[in-house]
């Protein structure tokens, strides 16, 4: 299991390769990459986080994903600092024997990253900056994973 | 105790973190928010509506009625927007 919070970019191909090399039982790799999008005049995006709690919170949900699905390997990388349009923000990569578990776990982890991991985005439009508001859709997406 | 502020909460209060002696009448994180609100205009502004705020106690998400102790780390922040 790899969890990293970093300023630098990540190499998606290298991360997939590392996961594949870790086990011959790997039958599939599912990846999700979040990218900075231009919503009309975005100059940059600043990502702030709560060091310590971030890693703990991601670790907790990675452990839960492992307990819920038969996974082989898992990598979560989230960037912080100043990013520009087209830059990678987050990578979730999951390996498993069969695809269903890997798809479900990747989606579960993204839904929880969005609603529980202590990161905050601030958009810069020219000289004006604005903190991004949380989305109700993200909260609803995370709620559906709650067990009865 | 250590109190941390993130994102627009940090901007409004003007500091990222501080060490605080646990005030006598503060028993929950909600009490702490109430104590901070009375401090000055910046804090009053940041803590005016706690419905828009979230709180963590010792790096775990908690509800407003969570009890606080002298050596705790409490963080106040807006709903998270990572991913």
């Amino acid at each position: 299991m790899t969890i990293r919070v970093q300023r630098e970019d990540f190499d998606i191909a290298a991360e997939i390769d590392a996961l594949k090399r870790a086990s011959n039982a790997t039958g599939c790799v599912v990846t999700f990459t979040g990218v900075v999008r231009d919503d009309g005049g975005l100059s940059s995006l600043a990502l702030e986080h709560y060091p310590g709690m971030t890693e703990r919170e991601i670790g907790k949900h990675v452990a839960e994903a492992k307990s819920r699905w038969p996974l082989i390997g898992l990598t979560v990388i989230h960037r912080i600092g100043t990013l520009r349009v087209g830059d990678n923000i987050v990578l979730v990569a999951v390996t498993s024997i069969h695809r269903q578990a890997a798809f479900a776990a990747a989606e579960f982890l993204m839904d929880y990253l969005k609603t529980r991991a202590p990161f905050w985005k601030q958009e810069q439009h020219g000289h004006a900056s604005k903190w991004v508001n949380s989305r109700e859709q993200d909260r609803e997406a995370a709620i559906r994973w709650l067990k009865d | 105790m250590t109190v941390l502020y993130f994102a627009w909460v940090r901007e409004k209060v003007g500091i990222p973190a501080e060490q605080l002696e646990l005030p006598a009448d503060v028993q929950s994180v909600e009490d702490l928010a109430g104590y901070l609100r009375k401090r000055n205009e910046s804090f009053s502004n940041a803590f005016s509506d706690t419905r828009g705020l979230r709180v963590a106690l010792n790096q775990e998400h908690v509800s407003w009625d969570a009890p606080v102790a002298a050596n705790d780390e409490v963080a106040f922040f807006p709903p998270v927007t990572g991913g």
Side-chain angles (χ1 to χ4, degrees), chain A residues 64-139:
Chain A
E64 186 172 347
K66 277 180 68 188
S67 76
R68 288 173 78 144
W69 294 281
L71 308 177
I72 296 172
L74 224 157
T75 296
V76 177
I77 304 173
H78 204 299
R79 294 181 69 193
I80 51 168
T82 303
L83 306 178
R84 305 202 177 272
V85 172
D87 282 353
N88 294 325
I89 305 173
V90 59
L91 173 72
V92 168
V94 185
T95 54
S96 185
I97 298 174
H98 300 296
R99 70 185 182 283
Q100 288 87 351
F103 272 124
E107 201 171 10
F108 166 85
L109 281 168
M110 273 314 302
D111 286 344
Y112 274 90
L113 271 173
K114 287 260 177 200
T115 54
R116 305 287 288 178
F119 291 99
W120 298 274
K121 291 188 182 114
Q122 188 181 38
E123 294 174 347
Q124 196 75 37
H125 292 261
H127 292 298
S129 59
K130 176 185 168 290
W131 290 99
V132 173
N133 288 320
S134 60
R135 293 165 75 241
E136 182 58 25
Q137 296 98 305
D138 289 334
R139 206 180 65 84

Side-chain angles (χ1 to χ4, degrees), chain A residues 48-53 56-57 60 78 89-90 110 113-122 131-134, chain B residues 4-11 54-61 73-83:
Chain A
E48 175 175 334
H49 81 128
Y50 181 174
M53 179 171 172
R56 263 172 94 135
E57 198 62 35
K60 245 168 35 184
H78 204 299
I89 305 173
V90 59
M110 273 314 302
L113 271 173
K114 287 260 177 200
T115 54
R116 305 287 288 178
F119 291 99
W120 298 274
K121 291 188 182 114
Q122 188 181 38
W131 290 99
V132 173
N133 288 320
S134 60
Chain B
L4 307 171
Y5 309 100
F6 290 98
W8 59 252
V9 183
R10 170 179 52 73
E11 287 185 341
R54 299 291 179 270
V55 60
L57 178 66
N58 299 324
Q59 307 192 352
E60 301 272 357
H61 291 283
E73 177 175 301
V74 180
F76 295 101
F77 45 79
V80 303
T81 55

